[in-house]
């Protein structure tokens, strides 16, 4: 019996130690959290119920043009203000996802993040926390965009060829995030390991074939990368030893998160992992241009089947889910979109799924552009489509 127990302990130790990685970043430039706040005892079910529905600060801290702090506005969004965050909270939004890109903010050859950038991210997070909101903080446009050997500092790429470089990036960046955000933040701060990790530059970027060796390799590599980030966060101790962490499958696609190859990381904290998926469903209504504009019975059924699948395969089996991005592009079809939002959010609440609205600031309909996901006017703190925010808030109660 002792031998068996020893073998189990050794296996667990190997799992965590093999994923350990010494950091190289310049610790003298790291932003450090010096505050202390007690961490709540909510289980994942109660947490997600309290998060209700949320909103993404899209095309902002995740933008990759410009330099240093200028990148925040490089994709056309205004600089984030406290008034903007306050307006969201007053509107009834309970959760804000703050997508952040880090690979364009490394300042040396050691994976050191620009401390000014970290401080700016921290400022925005703190505004939302002060308003009583939940905050999701991630690594966003850091997935490398070529199917080749990845050079230093370009982020991550889910192939065995690029695993070691991906691991160095993820471990160093998440070590620095974990230093800046730790015991001064309670359960209202949630970490998300990666955003839509995928095989960019290949035929399988948005389509995964379980008979494809490249896809299976990507799936296996992503499992290791998720484990690396979870280990790094837990290793930082303090409140991060028990923080909720969201982990995606390939592309953050629901079908990838429910595939046989997707594995939740092993975790030293109990019931603190949440599966992250994105769902613009059905595609021909929610994103495709021209696609279709009407909320037909077929659209309703497709959406119902997709959400039920997430519930049956994950939530009902005790695996919590947050839909990190969703939305319906503007096709000049407000009435149909309101119907879609009413149905989408009511079903999410039925299954205890929190959904976070994607907002890239582009509100005007355009028959040639399927990414018109602008909802909140960040300059006036009003909503372009009051009927839509009403549908979201009313169905979140």
């Amino acid at each position: 019996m002792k031998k068996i127990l020893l073998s189990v302990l050794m296996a667990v130790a190997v799992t965590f130690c093999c994923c350990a990685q010494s950091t190289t970043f310049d610790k003298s430039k790291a932003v450090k959290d010096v505050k202390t706040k007690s961490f709540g005892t909510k289980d994942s079910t109660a947490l997600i119920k309290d998060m209700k529905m949320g909103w993404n600060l899209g095309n902002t801290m995740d933008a990759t043009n410009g330099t240093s702090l200028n990148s925040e506005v490089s994709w056309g969004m205004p600089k984030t203000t406290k008034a903007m965050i306050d307006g969201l909270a007053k509107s009834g939004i309970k959760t804000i996802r703050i997508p952040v890109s880090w690979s364009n903010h490394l300042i040396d050859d050691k994976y050191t993040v620009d401390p000014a950038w970290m401080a700016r991210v921290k400022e925005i997070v703190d505004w939302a926390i002060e308003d009583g909101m939940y905050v999701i903080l991630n690594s966003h446009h850091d997935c490398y965009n070529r199917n080749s050997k990845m050079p230093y500092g370009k982020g991550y790429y889910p192939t065995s060829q690029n695993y070691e470089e991906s691991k160095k990036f993820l471990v160093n960046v998440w070590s620095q995030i974990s230093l800046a955000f730790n015991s001064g933040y309670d359960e209202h701060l949630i970490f998300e390991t990666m955003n839509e990790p995928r095989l960019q530059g290949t035929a399988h970027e948005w389509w995964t074939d379980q008979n494809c060796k490249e896809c299976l390799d990507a799936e296996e590599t992503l499992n290791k990368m998720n484990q690396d980030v979870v280990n790094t966060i837990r290793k930082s101790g303090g409140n991060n030893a028990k923080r909720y962490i969201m982990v995606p499958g390939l592309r953050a696609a629901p079908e990838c998160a429910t595939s046989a190859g997707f594995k939740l990381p092993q975790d030293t904290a109990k019931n603190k992992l949440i599966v992250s998926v994105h769902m613009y469903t059905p595609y021909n209504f929610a994103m495709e241009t021209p696609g279709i504009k009407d909320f037909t019975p077929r659209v309703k059924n497709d959406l119902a089947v997709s959400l039920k699948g997430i519930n049956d395969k994950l939530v009902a089996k005790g695996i919590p889910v947050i839909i990190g991005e969703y939305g319906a592009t503007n096709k000049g079809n407000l009435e149909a979109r309101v119907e879609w939002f009413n149905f989408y959010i009511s079903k999410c609440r039925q299954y205890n799924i929190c959904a976070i609205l994607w907002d890239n600031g582009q509100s005007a309909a355009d028959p040639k552009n399927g990414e018109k996901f602008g909802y909140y006017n960040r300059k006036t703190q009003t909503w372009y489509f009051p009927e839509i925010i009403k549908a979201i808030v009313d169905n979140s109660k």
Side-chain angles (χ1 to χ4, degrees), residues 308-321 351:
K308 186 176 186 300
I310 292 175
N311 177 69
D312 293 352
K313 295 176 182 178
L314 294 171
V315 180
K317 294 182 178 180
I319 302 172
V321 172
Y351 297 135

Side-chain angles (χ1 to χ4, degrees), residues 12 16 39 42 44 227 230-231 233-235 237-245 264-274:
V12 172
F16 284 89
F39 202 92
K42 290 186 180 75
S44 58
Q227 184 72 64
V230 170
N231 292 350
I233 294 168
R234 298 299 184 222
K235 183 181 177 181
N239 282 353
N240 288 340
K242 48 195 171 185
R243 192 166 307 286
Y244 286 90
I245 304 174
L264 278 175
Q266 294 191 38
D267 194 7
T268 53
K270 186 178 180 181
N271 299 325
K272 294 295 176 68
L273 298 182
I274 300 170

Side-chain angles (χ1 to χ4, degrees), residues 70-100:
N70 293 330
S71 66
E72 179 179 349
V73 297
S74 68
W75 284 0
M77 296 299 100
K79 184 176 180 179
T80 308
T81 63
K82 187 177 187 304
M84 188 187 301
I85 304 301
D86 291 345
L88 286 165
K90 290 176 182 177
S91 296
I93 294 295
K94 189 66 183 291
T95 300
I96 180 171
R97 181 172 179 252
I98 303 178
V100 181

Side-chain angles (χ1 to χ4, degrees), residues 157-161 163 194 197-200 202 204-205 207-228 247-265:
Y157 198 82
T159 61
S160 53
Q161 178 191 30
Y163 170 64
M194 287 166 276
R198 60 194 188 275
L199 293 171
Q200 291 200 80
T202 78
H204 294 287
E205 179 175 357
W207 175 67
T208 304
D209 181 358
Q210 291 299 315
N211 295 313
C212 163
K213 290 183 179 180
E214 186 180 25
C215 295
L216 297 177
D217 174 71
E219 200 167 45
E220 182 178 346
T221 303
L222 179 56
N223 288 337
K224 293 164 66 177
M225 290 158 57
N226 273 325
Q227 184 72 64
D228 291 335
V247 293
L250 287 174
R251 302 181 282 117
E255 62 268 26
C256 292
T258 56
S259 74
F262 174 73
K263 306 295 182 187
L264 278 175

Side-chain angles (χ1 to χ4, degrees), residues 66-263:
T67 59
S68 190
L69 298 180
N70 293 330
S71 66
E72 179 179 349
V73 297
S74 68
W75 284 0
M77 296 299 100
K79 184 176 180 179
T80 308
T81 63
K82 187 177 187 304
M84 188 187 301
I85 304 301
D86 291 345
L88 286 165
K90 290 176 182 177
S91 296
I93 294 295
K94 189 66 183 291
T95 300
I96 180 171
R97 181 172 179 252
I98 303 178
V100 181
S101 298
W102 304 94
S103 54
N104 52 318
H105 293 283
L106 302 183
I107 58 174
D108 57 21
D109 59 357
K110 300 177 181 179
Y111 303 94
T112 304
V113 174
D114 183 352
W117 183 248
M118 184 69 78
R120 175 59 176 154
V121 173
K122 194 174 176 72
E123 180 178 44
I124 297 172
V125 170
D126 287 351
W127 288 336
I129 295 292
E130 289 166 8
D131 280 339
M133 301 171 77
Y134 286 92
V135 176
I136 298 169
L137 185 61
N138 76 356
S139 170
H140 205 78
H141 291 300
D142 292 321
C143 188
Y144 191 52
N145 62 1
R146 296 178 186 173
N147 180 29
S148 60
K149 184 67 174 176
M150 185 170 60
Y152 161 80
K154 295 300 181 181
Y156 46 79
Y157 198 82
T159 61
S160 53
Q161 178 191 30
N162 288 300
Y163 170 64
E164 289 302 325
E165 176 60 30
S166 298
K167 181 178 179 180
K168 291 175 184 176
F169 172 85
L170 288 166
V171 169
N172 275 280
V173 168
W174 276 103
S175 291
Q176 291 170 85
I177 297 172
S178 296
L179 276 173
F181 301 90
N182 197 324
S183 291
Y185 300 84
D186 63 11
E187 71 277 8
H188 283 81
L189 178 62
I190 298 161
F191 288 157
E192 180 184 25
T193 62
M194 287 166 276
N195 175 77
E196 296 181 354
R198 60 194 188 275
L199 293 171
Q200 291 200 80
T202 78
H204 294 287
E205 179 175 357
W206 297 112
W207 175 67
T208 304
D209 181 358
Q210 291 299 315
N211 295 313
C212 163
K213 290 183 179 180
E214 186 180 25
C215 295
L216 297 177
D217 174 71
E219 200 167 45
E220 182 178 346
T221 303
L222 179 56
N223 288 337
K224 293 164 66 177
M225 290 158 57
N226 273 325
Q227 184 72 64
D228 291 335
V229 176
V230 170
N231 292 350
T232 300
I233 294 168
R234 298 299 184 222
K235 183 181 177 181
S236 67
N239 282 353
N240 288 340
K242 48 195 171 185
R243 192 166 307 286
Y244 286 90
I245 304 174
M246 294 166 59
V247 293
L250 287 174
R251 302 181 282 117
E255 62 268 26
C256 292
T258 56
S259 74
F262 174 73
K263 306 295 182 187

Side-chain angles (χ1 to χ4, degrees), residues 359-375:
D359 193 326
N360 61 9
Q362 299 182 39
S363 61
D366 183 347
K368 297 181 180 180
N369 186 341
E371 300 236 6
K372 292 296 185 173
F373 295 104
Y375 300 95

